[in-house]
Amino acid sequence: AILQKFSVVWLLNLREERIAKAKAINDLFQHYHTKVQRELLQHIEETGGEGQLLVCDGFEELNKQERTQCSLFLDIIHGKVLPNCSVIVTSRPYASQMLQQMSRITHHVEIVGFTKEQIKECIRQNIT
């Protein structure tokens, strides 16, 4: 139900070099057909990102410079680009501490994996 408030959900895989190295929003959509790219950019500009959810997957995959210095990704997180957009950032624990220090981050959720005993119990309940 929470996703119903968004008209568009974007997934940006930060492992992809073209995403990590993007300098402007249009760099994110270069692989689309020109007409589709134009329509996406027009929609983004008209709304300022409002009603859109941007899921940035793999913060830890960015190099140190991309995580700490000027980058499109940081501008999005700080609200300089797409100020009305909601953003979810995924990261492994070793890089998440940096995210927690960013002023625009309003929530932090840590998802912890299963213990060995929980894995065995899950297998027992669902497979046997």
Side-chain angles (χ1 to χ4, degrees), residues 91-102:
S91 178
R92 298 199 184 274
Y94 64 85
S96 67
Q97 199 168 40
M98 187 178 302
L99 283 170
Q100 294 174 37
Q101 297 169 359
M102 294 182 184

Side-chain angles (χ1 to χ4, degrees), residues 1 3 7 22 25 55 68 70 96 104 110 116:
L3 290 178
S7 61
I25 292 294
V55 180
T68 59
C70 291
S96 67
R104 191 168 184 239
E110 183 176 350
K116 287 184 180 186

Side-chain angles (χ1 to χ4, degrees), residues 108-122:
H108 173 256
V109 177
E110 183 176 350
I111 300 174
V112 182
F114 288 103
T115 64
K116 287 184 180 186
E117 194 54 45
Q118 290 170 324
I119 292 170
K120 289 176 187 177
E121 182 62 28
C122 184

Side-chain angles (χ1 to χ4, degrees), residues 56-115:
C56 300
D57 182 39
F59 179 72
E60 77 282 354
E61 297 287 338
L62 297 173
N63 66 40
K64 185 177 180 180
Q65 182 179 359
E66 293 163 343
R67 279 189 254 158
T68 59
Q69 296 179 2
C70 291
S71 71
L72 176 62
F73 174 73
L74 290 178
D75 286 346
I76 290 171
I77 287 183
H78 291 295
K80 296 175 184 174
V81 175
L82 301 178
N84 302 318
C85 187
S86 296
V87 180
I88 293 176
V89 181
T90 69
S91 178
R92 298 199 184 274
Y94 64 85
S96 67
Q97 199 168 40
M98 187 178 302
L99 283 170
Q100 294 174 37
Q101 297 169 359
M102 294 182 184
S103 61
R104 191 168 184 239
I105 303 292
T106 57
H107 295 80
H108 173 256
V109 177
E110 183 176 350
I111 300 174
V112 182
F114 288 103
T115 64

Side-chain angles (χ1 to χ4, degrees), residues 25-72:
I25 292 294
N26 62 341
D27 294 341
L28 301 174
F29 304 109
Q30 286 181 345
H31 62 287
Y32 288 108
H33 182 273
T34 307
K35 182 181 178 193
V36 173
Q37 181 183 10
R38 247 191 331 264
E39 290 172 3
L40 288 171
L41 293 172
Q42 182 179 353
H43 179 70
I44 290 169
E45 288 175 7
E46 289 172 355
T47 63
E50 188 170 344
Q52 299 175 42
L53 173 62
L54 185 62
V55 180
C56 300
D57 182 39
F59 179 72
E60 77 282 354
E61 297 287 338
L62 297 173
N63 66 40
K64 185 177 180 180
Q65 182 179 359
E66 293 163 343
R67 279 189 254 158
T68 59
Q69 296 179 2
C70 291
S71 71
L72 176 62

